[in-house]
Structure formats: C-alpha cells, structure tokens
Amino acid sequence: MASEKEPTVIKKYANRRLYHTGTSSYVTLEDLAGLVRGGEDFVVYDAKSGEDITRSVLAQIIFDEEAKDGQNLLPIAFLRQLIRFYGDSMQALVPRYLEFSMDHLTKDQGQFREQMTKAFTGGAFGGGALDAIQQQTRANMALFTDAFRMFNPFAAAAAAAKAKEEGTAAPAKGDDLGDLKRELGEMRERLDKLTKTK
C-alpha cells in the first residue's frame, strides 16, 4: 500500500535552535531553505507548546532571502498590495489565488526553461535568447496584471467603459490575447468554485 512520505518534523527550541528529527541534528534556516529547494516537505513545531509554527519559519526564510543583495523576488508594489489585503473582504481569496498563480508559474517555468535551452544551444548568448526572455516576461506580466484586476472588477469595468467611450480600445493581438482571455475566464471559474465550496 503506497502512501506519500510524511513531512519531516523540525522542532524549534527556546534558544531558537532548530532540531531535525529525521537526522537527529541541529539545522539552520539556510538548511531548511535547502530542503525546500530540494522538494522536501517539513513542518516546524514549537518544542515547548507543540504549536505548528511552519508558516512563520517559512516567512523568516523568505525575509532572510530578500535581505540578501540581488536576491529580491518580491517587488515593493506587490508587498504593499499584499499588506492592503490583510483585513480586507478579499483576504480569504488571496491565499487560494496566490497558490493558483504559483502553480501556474511553476508549470510555465518548465516551458520557459525549454525555450531558454533552445535559445542557448549551439552558441553564445544571442538575440534569440533575449527575445525569448522578453516574450516570456511580457506574457507573465500581462497575466499577472489582468489577474489582479479581477480583485477589483469595478475599476476594470470603469477602465473598459472609458476606453470604449474614447474609442481607444486596443486592437486584438491575435491568438495570444484570445488565449490569455480564455485562461483568465477559466481562472475566474475556478475561483468561483473555490469560494462556493468553502
């Protein structure tokens, strides 16, 4: 009978030391970051109270990574928007949306790596590689921008109405725009289903 591997248990003691119960050794936050990168799941419990403190430990790892020079993944505008969602009526949807977005980005990551491999094969860093990076970046930015508009449908509707009145509606850009609209529609349906099941 096959079963998924149980997550590794890490205990955090009052002296802030982290104890890896699988290897019977003390570990650092950097070690835990390595476990995450390696795909190993773990849970962190306060050794005294037994409270699950995994979320705060993972947040600390992110904080430490963001503090390193050249390691910034979280744009300031994103962090500000995230803070604004705390206590907002949309707060319950944000975790599901972020999980969905990260799953989508992870799937796209494989495609992006494949494009980069093709671009770099057979020679030096050339225009084809730069074009692939720019194309993927534009596609991801368009996806995230349009997806975040879903959280404020009134602003999106007002902007569309204004563009229609001024006659400045953007011309269709072929299949890419249609695909993006279809993906956003599917995302909305999934979010609706998720909110109805809770």
Side-chain angles (χ1 to χ4, degrees):
M1 181 183 248
S3 62
E4 288 187 23
K5 184 182 173 188
E6 290 292 319
T8 301
V9 174
I10 308 292
K11 292 183 179 181
K12 186 173 184 180
Y13 289 92
N15 61 4
R16 296 187 178 186
R17 294 190 76 185
L18 298 161
Y19 183 76
H20 188 302
T21 61
T23 61
S24 299
S25 62
Y26 287 99
V27 293
T28 64
L29 288 175
E30 186 65 35
D31 295 329
L32 294 183
L35 293 178
V36 172
R37 289 184 192 103
E40 184 174 339
D41 287 336
F42 60 83
V43 291
V44 184
Y45 295 108
D46 183 281
K48 185 175 182 181
S49 68
E51 177 187 0
D52 185 340
I53 56 171
T54 308
R55 183 184 312 272
S56 64
V57 170
L58 291 173
Q60 183 63 47
I61 291 170
I62 291 170
F63 177 80
D64 289 352
E65 291 294 325
E66 285 288 313
K68 294 177 182 175
D69 287 337
Q71 292 284 90
N72 307 107
L73 287 179
L74 303 174
I76 290 173
F78 171 80
L79 292 170
R80 286 187 175 131
Q81 185 62 47
L82 195 59
I83 290 168
R84 288 183 191 115
F85 279 122
Y86 283 98
D88 187 88
S89 60
M90 299 296 290
Q91 180 174 341
L93 289 177
V94 173
R96 291 187 198 109
Y97 171 75
L98 291 176
E99 284 180 348
F100 174 83
S101 298
M102 289 304 291
D103 286 345
H104 191 70
L105 181 61
T106 302
K107 289 174 188 170
D108 286 348
Q109 183 180 14
Q111 180 183 357
F112 179 66
R113 285 181 193 214
E114 185 179 315
Q115 289 174 351
M116 293 304 295
T117 301
K118 288 178 184 175
F120 286 116
T121 301
F125 189 79
L130 289 175
D131 290 343
I133 292 170
Q134 290 174 345
Q135 181 182 6
Q136 188 67 37
T137 302
R138 283 189 202 106
N140 286 343
M141 288 305 295
L143 177 67
F144 283 117
T145 300
D146 288 343
F148 271 110
R149 283 189 192 126
M150 287 190 322
F151 284 110
N152 193 352
F154 301 110
K162 183 178 179 182
K164 187 175 180 182
E165 285 175 12
E166 295 175 354
T168 59
K173 292 185 179 178
D175 292 339
D176 289 343
L177 186 57
D179 290 344
L180 185 59
K181 287 180 180 179
R182 188 184 75 255
E183 286 181 27
L184 286 173
E186 290 171 1
M187 192 182 312
R188 284 187 184 118
E189 289 175 15
R190 289 179 184 163
L191 284 172
D192 288 343
K193 288 178 185 175
L194 286 172
T195 56
K196 288 176 185 174
T197 58
K198 291 288 176 181

